[in-house]
Amino acid sequence: MSKYEEQKHNLSLKLKDICRPYPPLEEKPPKVTQPVSAFEFHRKKTNVEEAKKASLAVVEEWDDVATITPKLNEPPDYSSKTCTALVTFQEAYDHFKSSDLSHHMKNIQPLTERHGLSAVISMFFGPPKLKPSLEAERDVIFAIAQCQLEWSTPMHVQILQTIYKKLTGSKFDCPANGNHWQDVGFQGTDPSTDVRGVGMLGILQFLHLVVSPSLEPLSRDIYRIARSERQNFPLAVMSINLTKIALDSLRKGQLNRECNNQGNVIDVLNEFYAAVFCHIFLIWSRQQKTIVDAGYILKDAERFCGHNVSKALRNLHLHLASYFNGKNTFEPVVKKAKRCTDEAGCELARGFHNVTS
């Protein structure tokens, strides 16, 4: 074979290899793709680092919002995250006794003026006169009733914060203005608008009710029924009305005998205030009274307790003793209400005459 033929033969072999048909390809089953969840889809398209930074920024912004406190009528250093110490009644009362009350003394009316036949009847059949040694203390009490609530006075703020925290169980101070004051029975967002009639004396006696160890069970039951769904009433407003009743009884001389016997005025006044509150509470709870009954209940309590001081005080002591004897198991039969309604406060305000000191 010549060289040329040999090359031709090799070329033909290569062409046969190139043109040889390939075996058919095996068909593979199509891949089944799982559906992608919305979370997975979002995660693949989200930058995790940027998301973390954005989340931290939101948290910091919310923290800043939470620490903002209103500054209406508040001292400059007041903060909702502060926790002022609780104050006792004696500490608060000593604060007012040591204050300058001379400008209020000019406006007090410690005695009821009687003329004509009324003066003659009172002289022979009326209550005894207050001992001269107790007149100064009596005048101080009427002067305190002339003092108005001032948010710039630390003691005034401390008294209110104590009342709020003792009743609600809050650990921190609350702002000076806000609907939270309705939780303890004030009508508006600022307690100063409710205490004008009896001034800081009304707040002092409210403090006495909630911090006195002997009155704690009674105040707890009163607060529970005041916050109940059906029998609710504005507790602070009721308390201020009862301070008015106690102050009027002191002015009329109805408490003079007890004051003379105990050699003290403020303790008798507080005890009588608690006795009137106890009298109303027992009627309110046992007879299922509601806010529409407030008017005549207040007037009846003023008349009964004023003319039966010793009996009212004795009833108070018997009721308090029942707590420690385990015989008192008062439970309100109604659900807890969030807040007293505005209608309740207005009804109570209409149910009692204008408060003046």
Side-chain angles (χ1 to χ4, degrees):
M1 183 181 297
S2 65
K3 186 176 182 181
Y4 170 76
E5 289 178 352
E6 184 178 358
Q7 291 178 351
K8 184 178 178 180
H9 176 70
N10 292 338
L11 181 60
S12 63
L13 291 177
K14 290 181 179 180
L15 288 174
K16 287 181 180 180
D17 291 337
I18 295 173
C19 297
R20 183 183 300 143
Y22 286 97
L25 297 175
E26 296 181 2
E27 294 185 2
K28 296 182 179 180
K31 293 183 179 180
V32 179
T33 58
Q34 296 293 334
V36 180
S37 65
F39 171 78
E40 192 69 20
F41 179 80
H42 177 73
R43 188 177 66 83
K44 289 180 177 180
K45 290 196 171 186
T46 302
N47 188 315
V48 178
E49 295 300 325
E50 292 183 359
K52 287 182 178 180
K53 292 180 181 179
S55 177
L56 292 175
V58 171
V59 172
E60 292 176 358
E61 184 178 357
W62 176 252
D63 289 341
D64 292 339
V65 172
T67 56
I68 295 174
T69 56
K71 296 298 180 182
L72 298 175
N73 301 326
E74 297 182 30
D77 58 346
Y78 188 77
S79 171
S80 62
K81 285 195 172 182
T82 60
C83 184
T84 57
L86 301 181
V87 64
T88 65
F89 173 82
Q90 193 60 47
E91 290 171 342
Y93 182 59
D94 289 342
H95 164 79
F96 286 99
K97 286 200 304 180
S98 61
S99 302
D100 183 13
L101 301 174
S102 57
H103 56 293
H104 294 302
M105 289 290 187
K106 304 174 184 178
N107 303 319
I108 66 173
Q109 186 184 348
L111 298 173
T112 300
E113 295 183 3
R114 302 180 185 274
H115 304 281
L117 183 60
S118 176
V120 175
I121 294 176
S122 177
M123 182 180 300
F124 289 99
F125 303 102
K129 291 185 177 181
L130 189 68
K131 291 180 179 180
S133 58
L134 299 177
E135 291 179 356
E137 183 182 0
R138 177 200 61 192
D139 293 348
V140 168
I141 292 172
F142 280 96
I144 295 175
Q146 295 286 334
C147 298
Q148 296 305 311
L149 171 61
E150 297 177 354
W151 287 105
S152 58
T153 305
M155 179 55 73
H156 293 193
V157 175
Q158 193 175 2
I159 293 172
L160 277 172
Q161 294 293 348
T162 299
I163 293 173
Y164 182 82
K165 288 188 283 189
K166 287 289 289 185
L167 287 176
T168 65
S170 174
K171 295 181 180 180
F172 297 102
D173 295 347
C174 60
N177 296 83
N179 291 331
H180 51 271
W181 289 116
Q182 296 176 18
D183 292 337
V184 293
F186 289 101
Q187 289 189 83
T189 59
D190 184 357
S192 62
T193 60
D194 289 327
V195 302
R196 292 171 182 169
V198 290
M200 286 303 297
L201 182 64
I203 302 298
L204 270 180
Q205 291 206 302
F206 197 11
L207 175 71
H208 170 71
L209 177 69
V210 301
V211 301
S212 176
S214 62
L215 297 177
E216 183 179 355
L218 175 62
S219 65
R220 182 177 60 248
D221 282 350
I222 292 174
Y223 181 65
R224 288 165 64 187
I225 199 170
R227 297 268 292 155
S228 62
E229 185 176 21
R230 179 177 174 272
Q231 293 182 272
N232 69 82
F233 59 87
L235 177 58
V237 177
M238 176 72 82
S239 174
I240 290 169
N241 282 326
L242 301 193
T243 295
K244 169 64 171 58
I245 291 177
L247 204 60
D248 281 347
S249 296
L250 179 61
R251 182 181 285 115
K252 294 174 184 177
Q254 294 172 332
L255 306 182
N256 286 355
R257 180 173 282 105
E258 287 293 333
C259 292
N260 290 340
N261 291 339
Q262 297 188 27
N264 186 283
V265 180
I266 188 63
D267 291 345
V268 173
L269 186 70
N270 286 340
E271 191 176 8
F272 181 73
Y273 155 86
V276 179
F277 223 143
C278 180
H279 176 83
I280 291 177
F281 164 73
L282 293 177
I283 293 176
W284 202 282
S285 59
R286 292 174 179 175
Q287 300 181 19
Q288 296 293 302
K289 299 299 183 182
T290 63
I291 195 66
V292 297
D293 306 310
Y296 81 84
I297 290 178
L298 282 167
K299 292 177 181 177
D300 175 74
E302 181 181 21
R303 180 173 56 254
F304 173 81
C305 296
H307 291 93
N308 303 274
V309 175
S310 297
K311 187 173 182 179
L313 296 178
R314 184 167 60 253
N315 290 342
L316 170 67
H317 296 154
L318 290 174
H319 183 72
L320 294 179
S322 67
Y323 287 107
F324 299 99
N325 295 335
K327 297 179 181 180
N328 194 317
T329 57
F330 166 74
E331 286 290 343
V333 294
V334 286
K335 298 178 181 178
K336 181 179 179 182
K338 184 177 181 181
R339 286 195 178 99
C340 294
T341 61
D342 293 338
E343 291 79 3
C346 296
E347 187 67 33
L348 183 56
R350 287 196 298 270
F352 197 73
H353 48 273
N354 292 333
V355 181
T356 57
S357 58

